Amino acid sequence: MRLIIRLIAGLSLAVILAGIPSTVQARVMMSGSINPITGFSFDIIETATFTIDDLISYSNVWWLPIDNPSTGPSDTLSITFAEIYIHIGSTRYPDIIGTGASPAKIYLIGSSSRYIRRNNPLHTSEKMIVDNTLVSGGGNYVSGKWSTAFKDEVLRIGFLPEGTYTMSFTLHGHYSNGQSFDNEVNPITATIQIRNPGPPELVAPVNMAEDAVSVPRFTWQAPQISDLSQLGKTIRIFYTMKVWKMFSENGASLNQEEAVRRIPIWKVTDWTNPSIDFDPGTSREELISGRRYCWQVQAFDGTGRFIGSTNEGKSDIWQFTVRFVPSNINQPILFKPLAFSWTPAQAGGSSVLYDVTIADNPDFKRGYISRGQTLTSFSYPPDAPALTPGKLYYIKIQVTDQNGLPIGIPTQETVTIPVSEIVLISPENDFSSPVLTPEFRWRGDASSFMVSVFQEGTRWSYTSPKIQDTSWTYDGEELKLGQTYSWKVLPVDANGTPYGKGSEVRRFTIPAEGQITLVSPINERIETIFPTFTWNALSNRGEGITYVITITTDAGAAVHTANVTGTTYQYPQTGTMLSYATKYLWEVRAQQNGADIGTKSAQASFITPFIQPAGNQVSLDDIS
């Protein structure tokens, strides 16, 4: 509340006034009805902001009726003259702020007095009105003086200091019979608690809140206004509440200045409480989860005047976002193809969709976009542009409403498409294959692979089809006896296109002409400790050929040897028992008439099963 004191046209005693628009007659801030017998009564305008800005232009802004008493010492008596004394004080100042008195006695006879408005003759109960209508050109109704300290304070701060002010009125006069009256011993006083209120201060939702409910309660601190209770008056406060949305019809964000220039989506006027619940029924539209809004409160008093001297009684503008729980991308993120899922967004029960964008830049330019997804999972489609292993990619999930307008801040994540590491298992490097159709085995995290086989010293090569496993038995054209080949494994995408550098390169040799080739078991895990061994017979060597099968440990220690006339051998139950979960090597050579013929086979391996008879325990030492 801004209260101003001015000295105008020689008016020495300050009069506290309410500023009124130019089209309305100025109103008195405080009036006192003075009766020599019954005393004073007071009235005051119920406004929160007092000024005297209209004093220059308008009259009748301060008035003081003097009642001719209806009863007195005698019903025939009337007031013949009166003299008024006024004192103004404040608890903040030790001395009286201002004092004054009428410059001359106010005679209630005749019509020449410039300060008197009366009917002639004055009858019982008629009121003589003293006002400032005729104050001009240095004329004074009241002469007096101000406290210098108080006047300096007013000039320094520009308004009336807050505090408790007391106005004391004393009336002296005579009745028509000459009998005097005065109330100097017991003056009539009025006390006013003056405050300088500012505009309302917003409380909740707090500024920049990100979790306001969809039907929020708006609260603010009511202005601290003057206390007029001693005069039986109450200053009424009315509020105008406005809410604007900070986004356009197409979902584009608006700044605060742009938003408040638009029509508010909700406006409430003549509200009397410092809090109000949002009402979707009276709003132009409901509040949307994840969307930003701003709000403001403006305060008026009962006279229609703004409360506060700044910004027309308007509060600050605060912003809030309706509660929205965005999606979180779950871990782990899978690759080949790229696949991931996320938690559902919580948008106040509203149905939402998801836009998924994947790009190789943080601005998401030229990225792959999948719009309007209803599920909370995504798999990079095979017909989309291929993702490059080893490259950083950016993932964005934007929640939208059913119309595709964005809700809330998008969730973002970065991933690097891994270069698949492939580790070759068998055959080992420089391995002499015991078979013409070798089996290749490896480890890798790609979803699909491809094996390439090259003949050294030539341009010949063979590439397998897409393999969704980590092993493959050669199925191309027949490999040449005695030749050396190399092989490697490449990861491939869903389209069967290789990516990355692939595995190392290993070499292997195909059995030469006249070399025994093994059939089974070849570098595999078997299900019995009494395996059956099979190999191919030597061709074009005549009759009387025997075969010697030799079984050793992986370290080369002899385990079992047997002479066989056929090309199959069943490990005997009377032989040295093979250990469980153990790797063994085996090979076969041919003899005729007690002498070796041809070329013995290459070694092949097998691993016995992990299952064991009851009562026996396989130790770690048994497993190679």
Side-chain angles (χ1 to χ4, degrees):
M1 173 174 18
R2 188 172 177 80
L3 296 138
I4 304 172
I5 295 207
R6 249 178 228 177
L7 304 178
I8 299 179
L11 186 63
S12 301
L13 181 64
V15 181
I16 305 174
L17 305 169
I20 303 297
S22 59
T23 57
V24 180
Q25 170 118 9
R27 295 181 61 186
V28 65
M29 171 254 171
M30 185 174 188
S31 66
S33 179
I34 304 175
N35 186 305
I37 296 178
T38 61
F40 290 82
S41 63
F42 298 96
D43 195 10
I44 190 169
I45 186 173
E46 297 177 8
T47 183
T49 305
F50 301 110
T51 71
I52 57 171
D53 289 343
D54 298 315
L55 182 59
I56 298 176
S57 303
Y58 295 96
S59 59
N60 298 325
V61 289
W62 188 83
W63 55 279
L64 182 64
I66 302 177
D67 285 352
N68 195 29
S70 59
T71 59
S74 170
D75 290 341
T76 62
L77 295 180
S78 61
I79 297 175
T80 58
F81 73 89
E83 195 172 28
I84 302 170
Y85 296 88
I86 301 175
H87 299 268
I88 302 177
S90 172
T91 54
R92 290 192 53 180
Y93 297 89
D95 300 324
I96 292 176
I97 293 176
T99 62
S102 56
K105 295 178 180 179
I106 305 173
Y107 291 92
L108 306 182
I109 299 175
S111 59
S112 61
S113 173
R114 61 186 299 199
Y115 301 109
I116 303 300
R117 297 291 186 87
R118 70 175 182 81
N119 295 321
N120 192 23
L122 180 66
H123 298 290
T124 301
S125 299
E126 288 184 351
K127 291 185 178 181
M128 309 308 295
I129 307 299
V130 180
D131 59 30
N132 71 330
T133 302
L134 302 177
V135 173
S136 63
N140 293 284
Y141 166 61
V142 177
S143 63
K145 63 180 180 179
W146 282 101
S147 163
T148 301
F150 176 78
K151 182 169 62 175
D152 291 343
E153 177 75 359
V154 171
L155 295 176
R156 184 181 69 83
I157 64 177
F159 50 84
L160 192 66
E162 291 187 339
T164 301
Y165 290 81
T166 301
M167 300 181 69
S168 177
F169 297 85
T170 303
L171 182 67
H172 303 267
H174 289 276
Y175 296 109
S176 58
N177 65 353
Q179 181 179 352
S180 64
F181 60 86
D182 69 68
N183 63 338
E184 185 174 6
V185 177
N186 186 26
I188 303 301
T189 61
T191 301
I192 307 174
Q193 181 68 37
I194 297 297
R195 297 180 184 270
N196 300 316
E201 295 183 2
L202 305 185
V203 176
V206 297
N207 194 24
M208 308 306 291
E210 297 288 342
D211 59 350
V213 297
S214 58
V215 184
R217 168 168 290 181
F218 298 98
T219 59
W220 54 91
Q221 183 67 45
Q224 298 298 310
I225 57 177
S226 300
D227 181 8
L228 307 181
S229 59
Q230 185 183 16
L231 303 178
K233 298 293 182 178
T234 300
I235 298 177
R236 294 181 299 167
I237 303 177
F238 298 92
Y239 302 102
T240 294
M241 165 75 184
K242 295 179 181 179
V243 178
W244 299 269
K245 63 181 184 181
M246 298 186 67
F247 55 94
S248 64
E249 285 66 26
N250 62 6
S253 297
L254 302 175
N255 61 37
Q256 184 170 290
E257 291 72 19
E258 293 169 333
V260 298
R261 286 200 296 264
R262 292 173 164 239
I263 298 174
I265 65 167
W266 192 49
K267 179 179 179 180
V268 179
T269 59
D270 296 331
W271 191 255
T272 57
N273 295 322
S275 68
I276 186 171
D277 292 332
F278 179 75
D279 182 6
T282 58
S283 174
R284 292 172 51 229
E285 55 187 73
E286 295 182 1
L287 301 182
I288 303 174
S289 295
R291 297 285 171 78
R292 185 169 291 276
Y293 299 84
C294 60
W295 63 294
Q296 186 180 54
V297 177
Q298 186 176 22
F300 303 83
D301 62 25
T303 68
R305 303 184 62 181
F306 306 129
I307 293 181
S309 60
T310 60
N311 200 28
E312 298 181 334
K314 297 176 183 177
S315 70
D316 293 335
I317 299 175
W318 279 13
Q319 301 180 20
F320 67 92
T321 299
V322 180
R323 180 178 299 161
F324 169 72
V325 180
S327 299
N328 287 319
I329 297 178
N330 297 321
Q331 298 293 334
I333 295 177
L334 305 178
F335 302 95
K336 306 176 190 61
L338 175 66
F340 51 89
S341 63
W342 55 89
T343 58
Q346 299 179 23
S350 300
S351 178
V352 298
L353 302 175
Y354 304 93
D355 290 347
V356 180
T357 305
I358 300 173
D360 60 2
N361 62 89
D363 297 325
F364 293 92
K365 295 180 179 178
R366 304 175 303 279
Y368 173 84
I369 303 178
S370 176
R371 299 187 184 277
Q373 287 210 172
T374 57
L375 301 178
T376 57
S377 61
F378 172 81
S379 182
Y380 197 74
D383 58 349
L387 302 178
T388 304
K391 191 170 186 178
L392 179 67
Y393 285 89
Y394 298 81
I395 299 174
K396 179 174 70 175
I397 299 177
Q398 174 66 67
V399 182
T400 73
D401 60 19
Q402 294 297 314
N403 297 319
L405 297 180
I407 300 175
I409 299 174
T411 299
Q412 298 187 23
E413 184 65 88
T414 58
V415 296
T416 299
I417 305 300
V419 176
S420 180
E421 181 181 4
I422 299 175
V423 178
L424 302 184
I425 298 177
S426 65
E428 296 179 353
N429 199 31
D430 294 326
F431 176 71
S432 294
S433 175
V435 296
L436 297 176
T437 55
E439 180 188 39
F440 302 95
R441 295 190 295 118
W442 60 91
R443 291 195 304 270
D445 59 2
S447 60
S448 301
F449 302 91
M450 182 178 68
V451 180
S452 292
V453 180
F454 308 88
Q455 183 179 357
E456 293 193 355
T458 71
R459 294 184 178 180
W460 181 91
S461 66
Y462 177 78
T463 300
S464 72
K466 183 173 69 173
I467 305 166
Q468 294 180 309
D469 199 353
T470 55
S471 65
W472 172 68
T473 299
Y474 181 80
D475 59 3
E477 63 179 82
E478 186 175 333
L479 300 178
K480 296 181 180 179
L481 296 173
Q483 297 297 310
T484 300
Y485 294 86
S486 59
W487 68 290
K488 68 179 297 185
V489 179
L490 294 169
V492 297
D493 60 22
N495 296 323
T497 303
Y499 63 88
K501 66 178 182 178
S503 71
E504 64 173 324
V505 177
R506 283 187 180 180
R507 303 170 65 208
F508 67 94
T509 302
I510 293 299
E513 184 74 29
Q515 184 177 16
I516 299 174
T517 56
L518 305 182
V519 176
S520 176
I522 302 297
N523 305 332
E524 61 183 304
R525 185 182 304 277
I526 61 176
E527 298 180 355
T528 177
I529 59 173
F530 303 104
T532 298
F533 301 91
T534 305
W535 57 92
N536 293 318
L538 286 178
S539 60
N540 301 323
R541 291 291 181 163
E543 298 180 357
I545 298 176
T546 61
Y547 297 93
V548 180
I549 179 172
T550 302
I551 301 171
T552 66
T553 65
D554 191 32
V559 174
H560 183 75
T561 300
N563 292 331
V564 182
T565 56
T567 56
T568 299
Y569 178 69
Q570 170 75 50
Y571 193 89
Q573 296 190 6
T574 57
T576 302
M577 180 176 288
L578 300 179
S579 299
Y580 285 91
T582 302
K583 181 179 180 181
Y584 292 93
L585 303 178
W586 70 289
E587 64 182 17
V588 176
R589 71 180 189 273
Q591 291 184 334
Q592 193 174 43
N593 299 323
D596 289 344
I597 61 174
T599 303
K600 71 176 181 178
S601 72
Q603 283 187 323
S605 67
F606 64 92
I607 299 176
T608 54
F610 284 93
I611 302 175
Q612 56 186 318
N616 292 337
Q617 183 70 31
V618 176
S619 68
L620 292 176
D621 294 336
D622 295 327
I623 302 175
S624 59

